[in-house]
């Protein structure tokens, strides 16, 4: 039988939720606040190599997304496809994260950010702006692999310097060609790679960066009041994405040292990556998935920094109405404006 960890208020016994603004745990019944070490003192979860307590796991029968949460969190719909979800499995063993960045933003702040963002999308469907949709913004600890690595690389190519001058009736142009070579190495720390197949890699990359000064050793206590998803991208698969990213990082950095030329063309490059080490971590994201004509549209807020990414469809009736309104305004100005000056 699945066991669920719940953190109790030492004063009244009600459940505690993690509060992002204060970075403390609050009781919403007696309103007391606690630091991390002020409650549940019998909990030994911080001991290294201890098995994590099991959690209720909600699995969506429609799209297969598997979400985990402690029992202070309720889930009445799948945040991806909005279908009902049911409890299934545990969160322990190899799914034990090493670290976590706690939420800094509250759900209310995330909803306000969404409302400001969606108001600027005048052609977005009206359904996206309804209160019942806004209320479905969900705080979720998203799984990431944080990688450290070393990179050694070089680039080579051809650069030119072009000089022009006029002499008498003629204009002369001189082009000098140079072979360029750049070598360098770098160490990278905590490069995040999305560890969920359900979360769109493009958007997960766009909500970076995170501030790793807030990185904490993982504790189940930070999960109170939020949802979390198990990783389903293994470390080896995520490392392949990391390597592509690091090759681009170092190549661009080396290319940036080529200055003072009229043009530069890179013809060869090679980056070797070694000493790769990845740690499983949970990073805070507010997520809302809207449906329109059987297509999902994603909105995300970085739960630590407030950075926003997302997409919305264009509502055709709104576009037509807008075009008609513009046409009428131009027509009225043309007719009556011309009459005034006649």
């Amino acid at each position: 039988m699945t066991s669920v960890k719940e953190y109790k208020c030492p004063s009244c016994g009600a459940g505690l939720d993690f509060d992002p603004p204060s970075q403390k745990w609050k009781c919403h019944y007696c309103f007391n606040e606690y630091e991390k070490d002020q409650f549940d003192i019998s909990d030994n979860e911080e001991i290294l190599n201890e098995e994590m307590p099991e959690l209720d796991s909600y699995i969506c029968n429609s799209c297969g997304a598997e979400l985990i949460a402690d029992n202070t969190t309720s889930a009445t719909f799948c945040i991806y496809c909005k279908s009902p979800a049911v409890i299934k499995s545990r969160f322990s063993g190899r799914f034990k994260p090493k670290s976590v960045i706690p939420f800094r933003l509250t759900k209310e702040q995330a909803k306000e950010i969404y409302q400001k963002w969606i108001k600027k999308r005048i052609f977005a469907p009206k359904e996206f702006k309804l209160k019942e949709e806004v209320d479905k913004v969900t705080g979720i600890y998203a799984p990431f692999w944080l990688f450290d690595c070393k990179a050694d690389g070089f680039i080579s190519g051809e650069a030119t310097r072009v000089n022009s001058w006029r002499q008498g009736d003629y204009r002369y142009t001189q082009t000098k060609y140079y072979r360029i070579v750049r070598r360098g190495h770098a160490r990278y720390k905590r490069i995040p790679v999305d560890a969920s197949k359900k979360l769109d890699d493009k958007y997960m990359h766009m909500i970076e960066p995170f501030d790793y000064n807030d990185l904490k050793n993982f504790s189940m206590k930070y999960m109170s009041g939020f949802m979390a998803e198990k990783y389903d991208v293994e470390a080896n698969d995520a490392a392949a994405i990391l390597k592509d990213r690091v090759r681009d990082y170092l190549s661009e950095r080396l290319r940036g040292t080529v200055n003072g030329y009229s043009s530069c063309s890179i013809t060869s490059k090679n980056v070797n990556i070694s000493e790769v080490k990845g740690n499983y971590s949970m990073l805070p994201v507010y997520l809302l998935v809207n449906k329109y004509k059987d297509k999902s549209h994603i909105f995300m807020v970085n739960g630590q920094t407030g950075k926003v990414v997302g997409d919305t469809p264009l509502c055709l009736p709104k576009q037509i109405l807008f075009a008609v309104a513009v046409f009428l305004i131009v027509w009225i100005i043309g007719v009556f404006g011309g009459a005034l000056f006649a």
Side-chain angles (χ1 to χ4, degrees):
M1 181 161 179
T2 302
S3 62
V4 179
K5 184 66 181 175
E6 181 179 12
Y7 296 102
K8 300 284 189 179
C9 173
S11 298
C12 69
L16 294 173
D17 285 346
F18 179 69
D19 179 60
S22 66
Q23 297 288 289
K24 296 179 180 180
W25 283 258
K26 284 188 174 183
C27 175
H28 296 289
Y29 186 79
C30 69
F31 305 108
N32 282 319
E33 298 182 2
Y34 302 94
E35 298 286 351
K36 181 169 173 287
D37 57 356
Q38 288 182 300
F39 64 95
D40 202 8
I41 58 175
S42 64
D43 184 20
N44 294 319
E45 69 175 356
E46 310 302 337
I47 300 176
L48 293 177
N49 300 321
E50 180 187 329
E51 286 295 316
M52 292 294 297
E54 295 177 0
L55 285 181
D56 287 348
S57 178
Y58 299 88
I59 188 161
C60 176
N61 294 325
S62 297
C63 71
E66 187 173 16
L67 303 173
I68 57 174
D70 67 0
N71 69 338
T72 62
T73 302
S74 62
T76 57
F77 64 95
C78 172
I79 60 174
Y80 299 107
C81 70
K82 300 186 178 177
S83 298
V86 297
I87 297 172
K88 185 185 176 184
S89 64
R90 67 178 68 181
F91 179 43
S92 60
R94 68 189 181 97
F95 294 110
K96 176 183 178 180
K98 180 179 180 181
S99 54
V100 59
I101 292 180
F103 277 87
R104 283 282 179 185
L105 300 181
T106 65
K107 180 175 180 177
E108 290 305 312
Q109 288 173 315
K111 287 163 60 176
E112 289 175 8
I113 290 172
Y114 173 75
Q115 287 172 322
K116 291 178 181 178
W117 179 81
I118 196 66
K119 281 181 181 178
K120 296 178 181 179
R121 275 71 186 169
I122 60 174
F123 294 128
K126 64 179 181 180
E127 295 87 350
F128 285 30
K129 302 178 182 181
L130 297 176
K131 182 180 182 301
E132 52 264 36
E133 286 301 304
V134 177
D135 287 342
K136 291 177 182 177
V137 170
T138 303
I140 178 172
Y141 280 103
F144 278 84
W145 292 103
L146 298 184
F147 286 103
D148 299 342
C149 68
K150 178 184 177 184
D152 298 276
F154 83 94
I155 60 172
S156 64
E158 184 178 79
T160 64
R161 283 199 182 106
V162 180
N163 294 308
S164 297
W165 68 93
R166 182 175 292 279
Q167 185 174 332
D169 295 332
Y170 297 94
R171 183 174 184 83
Y172 297 89
T173 299
Q174 180 189 60
T175 302
K176 293 183 178 181
Y177 295 87
Y178 301 86
R179 181 173 181 266
I180 59 164
V181 176
R182 295 289 188 273
R183 296 182 184 275
H185 62 86
R187 284 191 176 273
Y188 295 93
K189 296 187 68 176
R190 300 186 183 120
I191 295 179
V193 177
D194 176 21
S196 169
K197 294 178 181 177
K198 291 292 178 183
L199 295 170
D200 192 306
D201 288 350
K202 178 180 73 174
Y203 294 111
M204 297 300 280
H205 186 44
M206 289 170 64
I207 62 168
E208 298 172 17
F210 289 88
D211 182 357
Y212 294 111
N213 289 323
D214 283 348
L215 198 68
K216 312 287 186 184
N217 289 331
F218 182 78
S219 169
M220 280 295 303
K221 294 175 181 178
Y222 292 110
M223 299 281 118
S224 294
F226 295 95
M227 298 183 71
E229 185 182 356
K230 291 180 180 179
Y231 75 79
D232 55 5
V233 176
E234 297 295 333
N236 289 340
D237 296 327
I241 298 173
L242 159 85
K243 291 177 180 179
D244 288 339
R245 198 174 292 180
V246 169
R247 289 187 184 100
D248 290 339
Y249 291 161
L250 188 56
S251 297
E252 290 173 8
R253 187 174 179 183
L254 294 174
R255 174 64 178 83
T257 65
V258 181
N259 299 306
Y261 296 96
S262 302
S263 68
C264 175
S265 176
I266 303 300
T267 57
S268 178
K269 64 181 180 180
N270 185 52
V271 177
N272 292 315
I273 301 167
S274 59
E275 301 178 24
V276 178
K277 181 181 178 182
N279 291 311
Y280 177 38
S281 300
M282 300 294 239
L283 305 185
V285 176
Y286 281 104
L287 177 65
L288 177 62
V289 179
N290 283 306
K291 286 277 192 177
Y292 186 72
K293 294 184 177 179
D294 296 324
K295 184 178 179 182
S296 296
H297 296 272
I298 296 174
F299 169 79
M300 289 185 185
V301 179
N302 184 314
Q304 179 197 37
T305 68
K307 185 176 180 181
V308 175
V309 298
D311 77 300
T312 58
L314 299 179
C315 180
L316 185 59
K318 282 190 174 184
Q319 289 179 285
I320 294 173
L321 185 61
F322 180 80
V324 170
V326 171
F327 172 79
L328 289 175
I329 292 171
V330 172
W331 180 78
I332 292 171
I333 291 174
V335 172
F336 292 98
L340 289 174
F341 293 100

